[in-house]
């Protein structure tokens, strides 16, 4: 026979909602039912629950669990037995007569809530229950007999909630779990061992639910960030051009899609194809954001008709306004290819010179002796534009220093521009071109480095076949 314990109303601590259950408890002789009002009965003594040997020493510094009981029976209170947690500590008990008092007692140290589904404003629940306490505060309809539970779930979204009801009210108890309670208990079967186990289960299940929710939220946020970053990657505008375009991009940041490197390609109404590649020093999220801003600014200024020195000077102004600190700078390479595809204008702002490959000849770097400084280094810098002859059939490769600064083996030697040119020529001799050429080059650079390249890598390849 279960041995529930009436509320201890003779101590001030209980009245204030801070009671700790005693070791021996008085209980009513008969269990309550949902069909009849609950009344007090002469108490009897019940032995306390005995913890397993050594349980109290398992975790001497563990924080005792606190249970908030919400019920309003004026005939003697909800009968709750003494309960111990898994470490042998008494589970602390607080009691509230209504939802307003429960909200006041719902402090951060409460771990679990035990809600009596017979909670009312005036007395025990009958076959035609009045509106639950708190209905006006929650806006629930009077016919909603789980309004009190819904209110508790709203004010305590991170707490485990148990509901208590009569055995013949199992359908409503199951509905309470569906609404959000962790478990339900029958009033007639309540004892210390069962309640202790139910509390521990409810607390751990709530923790697992919260952890699962956070994991799902984290995955959604990562997916959203990935979609955002993919949306910030460039979409080349080459409609109407006979040039072929290929690109490879690898950010240096782990689990990122964007780094400090950036590139873009657009065709203006006069038929000129403009290509750009750049590198913001560093490869964190701030540098990635600045790279996106510079790329978008470059596209807007190019479509507005700027090129060469005027374009780079304006981009430097954008950089100076948007960079998080004055130490941030960016290198840049811009190429504007004439409508006939045989000539190009080249501007370098502290950036490596492009590589050109023509049929029957080894690939080589475009000569450029008078390049300007990186953007953001000198306040009134100039960037001269040099005319370059491309020929009829060619491939022009723009790249960032992440491709050439990888190490070769375990020593300090780096691939460098000369090593990159030699690598590209080997791949060209094997008949590689376009996407396959870029993929093979980036893969070999990683292999020579002995693993992932630590810096951002961006490579753009524009090709033309004279027909």
């Amino acid at each position: 026979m279960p041995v529930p314990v009436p509320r201890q109303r003779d101590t001030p601590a209980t009245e204030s909602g801070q009671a700790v259950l005693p070791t021996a408890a008085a209980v009513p002789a008969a269990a309550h039912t949902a069909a009849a009002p609950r009344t007090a009965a002469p108490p009897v003594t019940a032995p306390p629950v005995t913890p397993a040997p050594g349980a109290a020493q398992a975790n001497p510094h563990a924080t005792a669990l606190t249970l908030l009981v919400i019920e309003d029976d004026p005939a003697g209170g909800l009968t709750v037995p003494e309960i111990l947690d898994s470490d042998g500590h008494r589970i602390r008990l607080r009691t509230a007569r209504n939802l307003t008092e429960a909200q006041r007692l719902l402090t951060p140290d409460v771990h679990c809530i035990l809600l009596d589904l017979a909670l009312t404003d005036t007395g025990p629940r009958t076959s035609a229950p009045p509106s639950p306490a708190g209905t006006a505060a929650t806006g629930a309809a009077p016919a909603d007999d789980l309004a009190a539970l819904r209110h508790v779930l709203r004010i305590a979204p991170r707490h485990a909630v148990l509901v208590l009801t009569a055995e013949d009210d199992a359908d409503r108890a199951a509905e309470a779990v569906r609404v959000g309670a962790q478990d339900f208990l029958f009033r007639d079967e309540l004892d210390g061992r069962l309640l202790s186990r139910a509390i521990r289960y409810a607390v751990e299940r709530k923790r697992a639910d919260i952890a699962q929710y956070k994991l799902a939220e984290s995955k959604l946020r990562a997916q959203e960030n990935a979609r955002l970053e993919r949306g910030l990657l460039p979409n080349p505008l080459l409609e109407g051009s006979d040039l072929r375009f290929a690109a490879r991009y690898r950010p240096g940041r782990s689990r990122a899609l964007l780094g400090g490197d950036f590139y873009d390609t657009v065709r203006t109404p006069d038929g000129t194809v403009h290509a750009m590649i750049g590198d913001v020093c560093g490869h964190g999220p701030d540098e990635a954001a600045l790279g996106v801003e510079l790329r978008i600014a470059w596209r807007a200024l190019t479509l507005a008709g700027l090129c060469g020195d005027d374009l780079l000077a304006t981009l430097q102004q954008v950089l100076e306004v948007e960079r998080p600190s004055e130490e941030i700078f960016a290198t840049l390479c811009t190429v504007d290819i004439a409508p006939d595809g045989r000539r190009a204008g080249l501007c370098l702002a502290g950036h490596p010179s492009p590589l050109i490959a023509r049929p029957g000849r080894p690939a080589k770097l475009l000569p450029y002796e008078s390049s300007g400084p990186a953007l953001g280094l000198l306040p009134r810098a100039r960037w001269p534009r040099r005319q370059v002859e491309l020929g009829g059939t060619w491939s022009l490769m723009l790249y960032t220093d992440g491709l050439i600064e990888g190490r070769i083996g375990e020593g300090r030697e780096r691939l460098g521009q000369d090593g990159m040119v030699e690598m590209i020529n080997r791949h060209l001799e094997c008949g590689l071109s376009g996407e396959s050429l870029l993929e093979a080059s980036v893969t070999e650079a990683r292999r020579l480095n002995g693993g992932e390249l630590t810096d951002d890598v961006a490579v753009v390849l524009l090709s033309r076949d004279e027909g």
Side-chain angles (χ1 to χ4, degrees):
M1 184 69 182
V3 285
V5 177
R7 186 207 317 254
Q8 305 297 310
R9 293 192 182 274
D10 55 343
T11 60
T14 305
E15 294 301 329
S16 63
Q18 304 296 326
V20 178
L21 290 174
T23 56
V27 300
H32 297 300
T33 64
R38 289 174 286 177
T39 59
V44 295
T45 301
V49 177
T50 303
Q57 289 77 28
N59 189 3
H61 302 291
T63 302
L65 294 175
T66 300
L67 175 68
L68 174 61
V69 179
I70 308 175
E71 59 85 27
D72 66 348
D73 180 15
L78 177 68
T79 56
V80 178
E82 176 182 297
I83 41 180
L84 304 177
D85 64 16
S86 58
D87 292 320
H89 300 103
R90 294 178 186 171
I91 295 180
R92 295 177 297 188
L93 177 68
R94 295 181 183 176
T95 56
R97 297 179 181 85
N98 52 56
L99 295 176
T100 301
E101 185 177 351
Q103 189 162 358
R104 178 177 63 82
L105 296 177
L106 192 62
T107 53
D109 60 329
V110 172
H111 299 86
C112 186
I113 299 171
L114 179 62
L115 173 66
D116 187 4
L117 289 183
L119 182 71
T120 65
D121 285 328
T122 58
R125 176 172 169 262
T126 64
S127 57
S131 299
T135 299
T138 61
D144 185 4
D145 57 0
L146 293 178
L149 172 61
R150 298 181 197 275
H151 181 78
V152 168
L153 294 174
R154 275 193 289 271
I155 66 174
R158 302 182 67 84
H159 290 72
V161 178
L162 295 170
V163 295
L164 190 66
T165 188
E167 189 172 359
D168 59 358
D169 207 11
D171 290 341
R172 188 161 72 122
E175 178 67 10
V177 173
R178 189 194 67 79
V179 168
Q182 268 61 58
D183 204 350
F184 63 86
L185 298 168
F186 293 131
R187 190 177 297 109
D188 295 346
E189 298 178 355
L190 192 64
D191 62 27
R193 190 178 301 277
L194 175 62
L195 183 56
S196 176
R197 183 169 64 246
I199 292 172
R200 294 199 303 269
Y201 167 77
V203 169
E204 293 306 320
R205 180 178 175 183
K206 187 64 177 181
R207 288 173 180 168
D209 289 345
I210 292 175
Q212 186 68 25
Y213 174 80
K214 288 183 177 179
L215 178 61
E217 188 179 51
S218 177
K219 288 181 178 179
L220 288 175
R221 188 180 299 112
Q223 293 171 359
E224 182 178 339
N225 290 341
R227 287 193 296 270
L228 176 61
E229 291 188 23
R230 278 194 293 269
L232 294 174
L233 291 172
N235 181 24
L237 300 178
L238 290 174
E239 185 177 357
S241 173
D242 60 352
L243 301 184
R244 298 191 307 276
F245 172 88
R248 279 292 179 273
Y249 190 91
R250 289 178 180 268
R253 288 188 298 140
S254 175
R255 297 184 298 276
L257 295 178
L258 283 175
D261 290 3
F262 54 99
Y263 67 90
D264 205 350
T265 305
V266 299
R267 181 176 183 266
T268 49
D270 63 356
T272 303
V273 172
H274 304 262
M276 170 272 291
I277 196 165
D279 182 4
V280 177
C281 67
H283 41 269
D286 290 338
E287 289 78 9
L290 182 56
V292 171
E293 291 181 273
L294 291 175
R295 180 188 69 79
I296 294 174
W298 176 86
R299 174 175 284 202
L301 294 170
T302 299
L303 293 175
L306 272 68
C307 67
D309 183 73
D310 292 338
L311 174 62
L312 293 177
T314 308
L315 282 178
Q316 174 157 282
Q317 294 179 28
V318 174
L319 171 67
E320 290 171 347
V321 171
E322 299 295 339
R323 63 185 175 184
S325 67
E326 294 185 356
E327 290 75 23
I328 301 295
F329 64 89
T331 66
L332 199 69
C333 168
T334 66
V335 177
D336 51 280
I337 302 170
D340 62 6
R342 303 185 66 87
R343 297 175 304 281
L346 175 64
C347 283
L348 296 178
H351 200 86
S353 183
L355 178 145
I356 188 168
R358 302 181 180 94
R361 287 183 281 178
K364 66 177 183 179
L365 299 174
L366 288 177
Y368 201 85
E369 297 79 18
S370 56
S371 63
L375 302 181
L377 293 183
L378 300 177
R380 287 177 292 275
R382 310 299 296 179
W383 295 272
R385 177 177 177 274
R386 176 171 180 170
Q387 192 74 13
V388 178
E389 293 295 327
L390 300 177
T393 301
W394 49 265
S395 293
L396 188 65
M397 191 177 86
L398 288 65
Y399 54 93
T400 58
D401 58 8
L403 180 65
I404 61 177
E405 289 188 350
R407 299 185 183 277
I408 301 177
E410 298 180 356
R412 296 185 176 181
E413 184 180 359
R414 298 185 182 274
L415 178 62
Q417 287 181 291
D418 292 339
M420 180 198 67
V421 172
E422 181 182 349
M423 176 180 69
I424 294 297
N425 280 320
R426 288 200 308 272
H427 294 320
L428 289 173
E429 290 174 0
C430 294
L432 298 181
S433 62
E435 297 278 355
S436 59
L437 174 63
L438 297 187
E439 183 63 29
S441 300
V442 174
T443 300
E444 183 172 352
R446 291 174 58 230
R447 180 183 63 79
L448 293 173
N449 189 57
E452 286 293 342
L453 300 167
T454 56
D455 198 3
D456 305 327
V457 177
V459 190
V460 171
L461 186 67
L462 291 170
S463 303
R464 179 178 184 268
D465 293 327
E466 187 173 47

